[in-house]
Amino acid sequence: MPRIVCVAGARPNYMKIKPVMDALERRGAEVLLVHTGQHYDPAMNDVFFADLGIRPPDRFLGVGSGSHAEQTGRVMTAFEPLLVEVAPDIVVVVGDINSTLACALVTAKAGPLLAHVESGLRSRDWSMPEEVNRVATDRVSDYLLAPSPDAVENLRAEGYREDQIHLVGNVMIDTLLVNLDRARASDVLDRYGLTRGEFGLVTLHRPANVDDPEILAGLLKALGEIAGRCPLVLPVHPRAAGKLAELGAPGGIQLVPPAGYLDFIALQDAARVVLTDSGGVQEETTALGVPCVTLRDNTERPITVEQGTNVLAGRDPDRIVATVHQVLDAPPAPRRPELWDGRASERIAEVLLKGGTSSTRPRPTDQPGPTDRTLPI
């Protein structure tokens, strides 16, 4: 059976890589977990490994923080010799963080097959570093593992071949469904004095929302107005902690420490409404049937709007307030997209282990056609 390296680097990756690792190992693959160390804060790292039951990584690169260029470069420099030493048949990267792109680029030049979980998502907002990472990672990947039909259509429109594209479903939902009962047993509501269905949950972490004090102040003003009708709880992301402390939270907003995975799922599940700028939260609320208002002008997960419980509100404070009132008055009906069924990781394992695939990488003569590279069975 093949040797497969699975890469994780930050909190958004952990929920995606765990079910894929489990499914591959159940089928007998040799799986090595590489943690790049892009997230190193214990509140954003250790608690998620513990909550999800992820084994300690086989390799930890410890790259830490820095600018996008510094972080990406450090991951590449650390990952390259590891790849030479381990000599895997396949490398699996997930999501859209800097570690995803860095390991994808190294793999594409080193020779192993490259699989991108969550392929094809597009916000079409090039000011988002994640959009650059998503598009570039897809371009050098062999397996394009798409979570939803809109992602498949994006890949087709960009000219990828049909044999590269695999509609597998959403691995985030695999993890959510497996852990939902454990999450509902959490005491987090009692800890914070909350009652199911009587509070709103807020997450803020994207640079476009938290790095500019004027924009953040406007968002806090909107949240303060909303809190007059529905008290809000805001687990503070490390990125936003300093600026929130400087600006101060309006009355009715309870600031709490970053939540672990189980506690955060419990908070989402019990919330009357969730306000977020996180892509993953848009997906989780859709799966849970909880109304979600996204504090962004676009989303790379439009299926959560078309077939889920998500509404785009943008970042204008007045529009946010009006949108939340509409959602509270008439919550969207719960809908869960097809293939968000808890079996996406099994479909991924089947694709990766069936043996024989083709390379997406540009051929020197630009001639179409597969490059056969059969895996050991």
Side-chain angles (χ1 to χ4, degrees):
M1 294 299 286
R3 174 179 294 173
I4 300 178
V5 165
C6 290
V7 177
R11 171 173 167 167
N13 289 173
Y14 307 149
M15 298 83 81
K16 301 167 189 174
I17 207 65
K18 175 62 162 64
V20 175
M21 291 172 56
D22 290 348
L24 290 169
E25 289 180 332
R26 280 194 295 269
R27 291 171 178 250
E30 179 187 357
V31 177
L32 286 80
L33 174 60
V34 175
H35 190 324
T36 69
Q38 181 172 330
H39 271 180
Y40 50 89
D41 186 310
M44 306 296 289
N45 185 42
D46 297 353
V47 67
F48 271 70
F49 269 60
D51 280 357
L52 295 173
I54 303 176
R55 68 168 191 259
D58 297 290
R59 300 294 179 90
F60 181 73
L61 304 185
V63 300
S65 62
S67 71
H68 287 283
E70 290 170 333
Q71 199 170 62
T72 304
R74 282 203 293 266
V75 174
M76 293 180 72
T77 302
F79 189 63
E80 185 177 47
L82 183 153
L83 210 59
V84 172
E85 175 194 344
V86 171
D89 299 292
I90 304 173
V91 173
V92 178
V93 296
V94 297
D96 53 24
I97 64 171
N98 289 337
S99 295
T100 304
L101 176 59
C103 293
L105 290 172
V106 171
T107 302
K109 294 183 178 184
L113 295 166
L114 177 64
H116 184 202
V117 175
E118 237 181 33
S119 178
L121 297 181
R122 300 289 184 266
S123 69
R124 296 175 175 81
D125 179 358
W126 287 96
S127 70
M128 293 176 63
E130 296 90 345
E131 182 75 352
V132 178
N133 292 345
R134 283 189 284 265
V135 172
T137 299
D138 281 344
R139 188 63 191 89
V140 296
S141 293
D142 297 284
Y143 297 97
L144 303 170
L145 303 165
S148 52
D150 58 282
V152 169
E153 291 307 312
N154 288 335
L155 293 168
R156 286 175 175 158
E158 292 171 15
Y160 293 98
R161 297 190 315 274
E162 287 297 321
D163 64 310
Q164 301 170 237
I165 302 169
H166 305 272
L167 177 59
V168 294
N170 192 328
V171 291
M172 288 271 288
I173 309 309
D174 291 20
T175 298
L176 174 66
L177 296 178
V178 165
N179 290 284
L180 187 53
D181 287 342
R182 292 174 61 219
R184 285 173 171 164
S186 166
D187 66 350
V188 69
L189 299 185
D190 293 336
R191 241 182 292 148
Y192 296 139
L194 303 172
T195 301
R196 171 176 285 274
E198 295 185 10
F199 69 95
L201 176 66
V202 181
T203 78
L204 289 172
H205 79 283
R206 290 199 176 273
N209 282 341
V210 303
D211 286 358
D212 185 326
E214 185 176 344
I215 291 175
L216 182 58
L219 292 175
L220 289 173
K221 176 178 178 293
L223 294 176
E225 291 187 41
I226 294 162
R229 176 175 178 182
C230 178
L232 300 176
V233 176
L234 198 169
V236 179
H237 191 284
R239 183 180 190 96
K243 292 183 175 62
L244 284 171
E246 290 174 19
L247 293 171
I253 302 176
Q254 182 180 358
L255 302 181
V256 300
Y261 180 75
L262 296 176
D263 283 353
F264 190 68
I265 292 299
L267 288 170
Q268 288 188 79
D269 184 57
R272 183 178 177 189
V273 64
V274 176
L275 293 85
T276 189
D277 57 8
S278 162
V281 172
Q282 296 171 47
E283 295 174 316
E284 289 166 343
T285 48
T286 281
L288 292 167
V290 174
C292 178
V293 175
T294 294
L295 310 178
R296 289 167 47 187
D297 297 313
N298 52 61
T299 178
E300 66 281 359
R301 294 164 171 87
I303 195 169
T304 62
V305 177
E306 297 158 5
Q307 298 182 31
T309 57
N310 185 27
V311 179
L312 282 179
R315 295 184 295 165
D316 176 74
D318 292 337
R319 182 180 169 195
I320 291 170
V321 172
T323 301
V324 172
H325 283 313
Q326 290 172 4
V327 167
L328 292 175
D329 290 338
R335 296 172 295 174
R336 185 180 295 174
E338 187 179 2
L339 298 187
W340 290 27
D341 56 2
R343 300 187 62 247
S345 55
E346 291 295 333
R347 289 186 282 268
I348 289 171
E350 181 178 353
V351 169
L352 297 186
L353 297 181
K354 66 183 179 183
T357 187
S358 56
S359 172
T360 68
R361 293 165 199 155
R363 297 163 68 87
T365 58
D366 289 325
Q367 294 299 311
T371 300
D372 295 324
R373 294 190 284 176
T374 303
L375 299 176
I377 299 299

